[in-house]
């Protein structure tokens, strides 16, 4: 899940410091401004927690403004003691996309979208925060989240997002903790959310040409607009607020675990799978690259610095690697 597009290379300029807001809206209470403010607060909170846990690495901040309005704030940590690479990217995008791209970017189809002429441009605004974190230690899982709001010129709107985890080795207690945090959040807002969004994650994060999932899931939702927007906003806000409680305790538990070269090799093989999913199937990456609206560095921030591919690699029977491969091929209920 790559960052929502930050506009093309010819349309943006770097600025320092970032402005108070990236939105063109003058009403601070509108949903677009509120979403941006909430996501920027979350970006600050999460980056601070990651820096504290890492103890060495610091996030580099880059802000870009687009001449047509909007822009983005990219925060990337590289070369940390715990994380090889971590990125948390905010985007506020104004643009137009072909009706076909709009359809590809969505799970649900609004009636007006079905009636658009092929190739017809659809003006939209998108506000989102995307993150991927790749730790050094093979016993520390990669984590991804994305929370976003879309709105078209004709007034159609929806929220999307989720948080998911990608370990190289299975620790069932870690998975119970991670999924348990998000089940608690979901249950607070709708008793049907967790089962629905957990299943959605299991079905979305599938590497179809491999017949396996990218990781061990979490929650994922898209095109959510079945209730008042501020109600969904509150749900997205609480999901974002729980990124640190769901993830950082797992990292603290494992960041000093000893590991072998073979375990590191396995981690890099699994990162290769991560790359395959992001470049072939991820909706955010496809949207950002194919619309021509994307700032490439922000979109591809999600990719690890190091990955590995080996011809027809098969884990040894009854090994820890085989154990987690079974979980990748057969999604489980963790809570």
């Amino acid at each position: 899940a790559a960052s929502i597009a930050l506009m093309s290379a010819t349309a943006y300029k770097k600025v320092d410091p970032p402005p108070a807001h990236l939105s063109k809206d003058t009403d601070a209470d509108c949903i677009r401004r509120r979403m941006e403010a909430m996501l920027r607060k979350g970006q600050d909170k999460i980056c601070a927690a990651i820096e504290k846990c890492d103890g060495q690495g610091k996030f580099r901040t880059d802000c870009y403004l687009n001449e047509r309005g909007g822009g983005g704030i990219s925060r990337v940590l590289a070369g940390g003691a715990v994380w090889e690479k971590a990125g948390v990217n905010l985007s506020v995008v104004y643009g137009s996309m072909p009706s076909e791209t709009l359809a590809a970017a969505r799970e649900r189809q609004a009636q007006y979208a079905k009636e658009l002429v092929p190739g017809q441009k659809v003006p939209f605004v998108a506000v989102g925060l995307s993150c991927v974190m790749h730790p050094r230690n093979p016993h520390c899982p990669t984590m991804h989240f994305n929370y976003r709001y879309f709105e078209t010129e004709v007034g159609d709107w929806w929220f999307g997002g989720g948080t998911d985890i990608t370990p190289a080795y299975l620790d069932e207690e870690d998975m119970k903790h991670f999924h348990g945090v998000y089940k608690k959040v979901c249950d607070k807002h709708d008793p049907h959310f967790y089962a629905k969004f957990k299943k959605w994650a299991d079905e979305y994060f599938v590497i179809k040409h491999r017949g396996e999932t990218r990781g061990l899931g979490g929650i994922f939702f898209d095109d959510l607009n079945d209730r008042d927007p501020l109600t969904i906003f509150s749900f997205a806000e609480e999901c974002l607020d729980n990124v640190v409680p769901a993830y950082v305790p797992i990292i603290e538990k494992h960041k000093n675990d000893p590991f072998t070269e073979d375990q590191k090799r396995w981690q890099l093989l699994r990162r290769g799978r991560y790359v395959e999913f992001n470049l072939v199937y991820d909706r955010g990456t496809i949207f950002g690259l194919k619309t021509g609206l994307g700032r490439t560095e922000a979109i591809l921030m999600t990719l690890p610095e190091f990955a590995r591919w080996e011809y027809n690699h098969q884990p040894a029977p009854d090994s820890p690697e085989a154990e987690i491969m079974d979980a990748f091929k057969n999604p489980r209920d963790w809570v």
Side-chain angles (χ1 to χ4, degrees):
S3 174
I4 295 175
L6 296 185
M7 301 299 184
S8 65
T10 58
Y12 64 80
K13 63 178 181 179
K14 189 172 181 178
V15 298
D16 186 29
H21 62 87
L22 302 172
S23 171
K24 293 191 292 186
D25 293 289
T26 57
D27 180 6
D29 291 327
C30 74
I31 191 68
R32 296 173 295 278
R33 282 281 299 273
R34 291 181 68 164
M35 188 71 176
E36 179 186 350
M38 182 268 281
L39 295 178
R40 287 181 74 159
K41 180 180 177 181
Q43 185 183 42
D44 289 342
K45 177 181 175 181
I46 291 166
C47 288
I50 295 304
E51 286 185 351
K52 181 179 178 181
C53 180
D54 189 277
Q56 174 180 301
K58 299 294 181 182
F59 282 91
R60 165 186 169 181
T61 299
D62 292 324
C63 180
Y64 293 86
L65 298 182
N66 189 276
E67 61 190 17
R68 292 168 291 184
I73 301 173
S74 297
R75 302 189 67 180
V76 178
L77 180 155
V82 175
W83 281 276
E84 289 178 352
K85 185 180 182 183
V88 191
N89 288 352
L90 174 81
S91 302
V92 178
V93 177
Y94 294 87
S96 297
M97 67 180 106
S99 56
E100 297 90 341
T101 302
L102 174 62
R106 307 183 62 183
E107 192 76 17
R108 169 188 55 83
Q109 294 300 307
Q111 184 60 38
Y112 88 90
K114 295 179 181 179
E115 298 170 355
L116 290 172
V117 176
Q120 181 177 345
K121 296 289 187 177
V122 182
F124 73 94
V125 58
V127 184
L129 185 69
S130 298
C131 167
V132 176
M133 298 189 179
H134 296 290
R136 293 186 182 280
N137 194 309
H139 300 292
C140 291
T142 287
M143 184 274 299
H144 156 260
F145 74 76
N146 178 291
Y147 292 96
R148 58 195 179 274
Y149 173 78
F150 271 80
E151 187 176 300
T152 67
E153 188 177 65
V154 295
D156 191 35
W157 59 268
W158 66 95
F159 288 81
T163 307
D164 61 279
I165 197 161
T166 304
Y169 287 94
L170 177 60
D171 183 318
E172 293 194 11
E173 292 303 313
D174 291 347
M175 295 306 99
K176 289 177 182 177
H177 168 77
F178 181 85
H179 281 265
V181 168
Y182 280 99
K183 183 178 188 304
K184 185 176 180 180
V185 173
C186 287
D187 288 350
K188 178 179 175 181
H189 290 266
D190 188 313
H192 301 291
F193 270 0
Y194 177 74
K196 179 180 179 181
F197 296 159
K198 191 268 185 188
K199 183 174 183 289
W200 206 332
D202 289 340
E203 293 175 349
Y204 176 71
F205 294 106
V206 172
I207 309 169
K208 298 179 180 66
H209 58 274
R210 297 283 190 180
E212 64 195 50
T213 58
R214 185 180 75 177
L216 297 183
I219 61 168
F220 178 80
F221 61 92
D222 208 351
D223 295 330
L224 191 59
N225 75 341
D226 62 347
R227 57 203 76 193
D228 181 81
L230 291 181
T231 299
I232 306 175
F233 173 92
S234 177
F235 171 62
E237 181 176 34
E238 191 157 358
C239 286
L240 185 62
D241 282 345
N242 277 274
V243 166
V244 171
Y247 181 56
V248 171
I250 297 173
I251 300 300
E252 291 285 2
K253 176 181 173 181
H254 294 290
K255 67 182 183 181
N256 295 317
D257 286 359
F259 60 89
T260 67
E261 289 186 11
D262 282 344
Q263 289 171 332
K264 184 66 179 179
R265 172 179 163 231
W266 173 251
Q267 180 198 43
L268 296 181
L269 286 167
R270 293 311 307 173
R271 284 189 183 166
R273 298 291 207 269
Y274 203 97
V275 171
E276 290 177 27
F277 177 85
N278 278 32
L279 293 182
V280 177
Y281 301 111
D282 183 76
R283 192 174 297 158
T285 302
I286 293 169
F287 175 83
L289 294 177
K290 288 195 173 182
T291 58
L293 298 173
R295 178 175 167 256
T296 303
E297 287 299 318
I299 297 169
L300 299 183
M301 172 277 301
T302 61
L303 302 181
E305 289 190 353
F306 305 100
R308 187 180 183 108
W309 286 265
E310 294 182 14
Y311 176 73
N312 197 28
H313 180 273
Q314 301 293 331
D318 300 319
S319 65
E321 293 79 11
E323 178 187 31
I324 198 166
M325 277 303 302
D326 180 74
F328 292 145
K329 291 180 177 294
N330 302 287
R332 306 176 188 176
D333 291 327
W334 302 104
V335 292

